[in-house]
Amino acid sequence: MRKQLSSAATGILLLVGVSAAAAQDVIIQPEQDTVIREYVKKKPMASVSLLGVELNIGTALPDTVELYEVPDVQYRYVVVDGRTVLVDPGTRKIVKVYD
């Protein structure tokens, strides 16, 4: 009986982990990506420096970082250390890093 409960608990934890990982995957459609790239190119912003913050998908940016709107797109952008990053304004997490 314990073995069955242990196996069931392991399975549930695995499913929860997979669901959480899938929630972080943001898919930006090619058309939307083009709109974002063109807008950012037309509206360049000064780069900010964030010591100790890695520019990885899922990294949350501090509240002190100002995010800029891209019209008709749910995400915001900011230039950090010369790289444009797309950010979810609700969580402040990076969803895409442009090189």
Side-chain angles (χ1 to χ4, degrees):
M1 179 79 164
R2 270 185 194 228
K3 196 173 197 176
Q4 289 175 335
L5 287 176
S6 175
S7 295
T10 301
I12 290 170
L13 289 174
L14 180 61
L15 286 174
V16 169
V18 169
S19 297
Q24 287 185 347
D25 291 342
V26 173
I27 298 173
I28 299 170
Q29 298 301 319
E31 308 82 41
Q32 192 176 35
D33 193 58
T34 300
V35 167
I36 294 166
R37 286 176 184 272
E38 288 177 3
Y39 185 81
V40 168
K41 192 182 291 185
K42 289 178 187 175
K43 302 280 187 178
M45 294 293 168
S47 181
V48 296
S49 181
L50 296 176
L51 297 175
V53 175
E54 293 187 29
L55 298 182
N56 296 320
I57 293 173
T59 299
L61 297 181
D63 291 337
T64 56
V65 175
E66 185 174 356
L67 305 177
Y68 301 97
E69 184 176 342
V70 178
D72 302 320
V73 176
Q74 72 183 57
Y75 302 109
R76 305 290 181 257
Y77 78 101
V78 64
V79 180
V80 180
D81 298 326
R83 298 173 74 192
T84 301
V85 295
L86 204 58
V87 180
D88 180 329
T91 62
R92 300 191 64 83
K93 289 185 178 180
I94 296 172
V95 296
K96 184 163 183 165
V97 179
Y98 292 95
D99 288 318

